[in-house]
Amino acid sequence: MVAQLSDEEVNAAVSGLAGWELRDEKLYRKFEFTDFVEAFAFMNGVALLAERANHHPEWFNVYRTVEIWLTTHDAGGISSKDVELATEINSRHN
Amino acid sequence: MVAQLSDEEVNAAVSGLAGWELRDEKLYRKFEFTDFVEAFAFMNGVALLAERANHHPEWFNVYRTVEIWLTTHDAGGISSKDVELATEINSRHN
């Protein structure tokens, strides 16, 4: 089982993840797109990354905005899985 | 511009839409699937219906659960567009 990161580890990870912040004890980022087509295309990409990692986001979409929260329920908080998924998402989105 | 439905019209519509209820002055339904693959396949279908109608949901997904809220911002509340989209979604999901 993957372990929860310490506060120090979380803070170090967040400072290295452009656009992400700590919110509700989860990794959080809000993405804005041109329209729904672009927003949902992005969501399709994230869905594939998440399924491949067997680690899935909590996310909310309305029109051209997508909000993502990452946490690891089995670990009781943020784990390396969340940092890895956020990193992958960022690598595909400026 | 599409008009906001009256309370009576909303109540009549909700009573005819299996699984939907009125929540936060929006049409709301929660869907449960077997896993993320099924949940996100459903979301892809809804995305196409929404884009075709040029009327988009507010929705939240975590793993196998999808929650949808429908309202019409231009109308200041629930309109026939929301009832139509909810009806289409239901026609593709038991």
Side-chain angles (χ1 to χ4, degrees):
Chain A
M1 185 181 289
V2 65
Q4 183 178 3
L5 298 181
S6 69
D7 289 351
E8 291 74 16
E9 289 170 322
V10 168
N11 289 335
V14 168
S15 67
L17 284 166
W20 293 80
E21 62 188 78
L22 194 61
R23 186 179 289 198
D24 305 327
E25 301 182 30
K26 299 170 184 177
L27 291 184
Y28 169 84
R29 185 173 172 184
K30 183 174 185 173
F31 298 85
E32 299 269 3
F33 300 89
T34 305
D35 55 20
F36 179 74
V37 172
E38 285 204 6
F40 200 75
F42 166 75
M43 291 178 73
N44 266 283
V46 172
L48 294 174
L49 298 175
E51 187 62 22
R52 185 175 65 189
N54 191 26
H55 188 61
H56 302 86
E58 301 173 22
W59 49 355
F60 179 81
N61 161 246
V62 55
Y63 197 51
R64 63 189 189 86
T65 300
V66 179
E67 293 176 272
I68 302 180
W69 296 260
L70 300 178
T71 187
T72 304
H73 291 105
D74 288 348
I78 296 168
S79 79
S80 59
K81 286 186 175 184
D82 302 303
V83 177
E84 288 162 12
L85 184 54
T87 301
E88 279 203 288
I89 292 170
N90 271 16
S91 74
R92 289 155 187 275
H93 182 81
N94 289 326
Chain B
M1 184 181 290
V2 66
Q4 182 178 3
L5 298 181
S6 69
D7 289 350
E8 290 73 17
E9 289 169 323
V10 168
N11 289 334
V14 168
S15 68
L17 283 167
W20 292 79
E21 62 189 77
L22 194 61
R23 186 178 290 197
D24 304 327
E25 302 183 30
K26 299 171 184 175
L27 291 184
Y28 169 83
R29 184 172 173 185
K30 183 174 185 174
F31 298 85
E32 299 269 3
F33 299 90
T34 305
D35 55 21
F36 180 74
V37 172
E38 286 205 5
F40 200 74
F42 166 76
M43 292 178 74
N44 267 282
V46 172
L48 294 173
L49 297 175
E51 187 61 22
R52 184 175 67 189
N54 192 26
H55 188 61
H56 301 87
E58 301 173 22
W59 50 355
F60 179 80
N61 161 245
V62 54
Y63 197 52
R64 63 188 190 86
T65 299
V66 179
E67 292 176 272
I68 301 181
W69 296 260
L70 300 177
T71 187
T72 305
H73 291 105
D74 288 349
I78 295 168
S79 78
S80 59
K81 287 187 175 182
D82 302 302
V83 177
E84 287 162 12
L85 184 53
T87 301
E88 279 204 288
I89 292 170
N90 271 16
S91 74
R92 289 155 188 276
H93 182 81
N94 290 325

